[in-house]
Amino acid sequence: GVTSDSSATQYKGSVTNCCKSINWVQEEVCYYLSTLGTPTQKYFADPSDRTKCVVHQTEDTAATGFYATPPAVVCALGKVTSPADSAGVECVEEIGVSTKLYDSLDDCCKTNVSWDVDSCKYESMGTDAPGSGDYYIDWAIEQCVQDCNIEATGSSCNGIAKSWQTTYGSEETCCKQISWVNRRDCLYYQTR
């Protein structure tokens, strides 16, 4: 293009060089937005819910042609189908200049939700964390509850422990931590 600003730097058709000069926009983001080329197939924090990550990829991708190389991230119906360690993550085509991209779901969660990486990964994939089966103290009810996502009647499950909550291998060990609570009242027991 033509510019009347004599101080403007010209990059002789090289988008890559231009993007390298803009230090406030990630180079890959700049290149994609400048060329509207192939999505980066990288992960970023979901702008509508920053406790999970999404991937920059078209909603339906596949290798085309006889010798086509499959993309690193394959999506079908708007969700990742491959690689398996991020299956279910939402595929998003739109990114903006402030988007920060990461090579993996793990890197995205570690950077953006460092206080609860596991929950970020499971939430991003649209699944429930399996839980350890150990016990932790739910301080709101002052009882030991089991770290699991199964909420069956008669269960001691009360949800997945957060990464900052200490877990104990047995209900006995957990109950010893809240010794002021009567032993028969220590363990949470679902009655619904």
Side-chain angles (χ1 to χ4, degrees):
V2 177
T3 179
S4 61
D5 182 358
S6 62
S7 67
T9 304
Q10 299 288 319
Y11 289 99
K12 299 185 187 203
S14 174
V15 172
T16 303
N17 288 337
C18 180
C19 287
K20 285 180 181 177
S21 74
I22 304 172
N23 62 5
W24 52 272
V25 177
Q26 193 174 5
E27 194 173 326
E28 290 166 303
V29 171
C30 175
Y31 187 83
Y32 173 77
L33 291 173
S34 298
T35 64
L36 294 179
T38 305
T40 62
Q41 301 181 49
K42 297 204 175 205
Y43 299 83
F44 62 98
D46 184 341
S48 64
D49 180 359
R50 299 200 59 85
T51 64
K52 65 180 187 173
C53 295
V54 294
V55 69
H56 183 224
Q57 179 60 294
T58 54
E59 291 184 5
D60 289 297
T61 54
T64 56
F66 186 73
Y67 293 104
T69 303
V73 176
V74 178
C75 296
L77 302 174
K79 301 286 183 185
V80 171
T81 57
S82 175
D85 65 352
S86 60
V89 172
E90 183 180 355
C91 300
V92 177
E93 291 184 56
E94 299 293 321
I95 59 173
V97 294
S98 62
T99 303
K100 298 293 180 217
L101 299 171
Y102 303 92
D103 290 330
S104 68
L105 176 59
D106 193 53
D107 289 346
C108 182
C109 286
K110 282 180 181 174
T111 304
N112 293 285
V113 194
S114 60
W115 61 92
D116 203 357
V117 174
D118 287 339
S119 289
C120 171
K121 289 195 298 193
Y122 285 110
E123 175 121 358
S124 298
M125 294 187 294
T127 61
D128 292 325
S132 66
D134 289 343
Y135 294 84
Y136 67 97
I137 301 169
D138 182 334
W139 291 104
I141 58 174
E142 288 191 335
Q143 288 182 303
C144 289
V145 298
Q146 198 165 18
D147 176 27
C148 49
N149 63 10
I150 302 166
E151 295 197 21
T153 302
S155 168
S156 59
C157 292
N158 198 27
I160 303 298
K162 299 295 183 193
S163 60
W164 62 84
Q165 292 174 305
T166 304
T167 57
Y168 305 95
S170 69
E171 59 185 76
E172 294 286 330
T173 306
C174 183
C175 285
K176 286 180 183 176
Q177 309 306 310
I178 50 174
S179 57
W180 61 91
V181 175
N182 186 315
R183 176 65 180 100
R184 66 183 163 84
D185 297 326
C186 171
L187 186 62
Y188 172 80
Y189 190 76
Q190 213 178 82
T191 55
R192 15 179 181 152

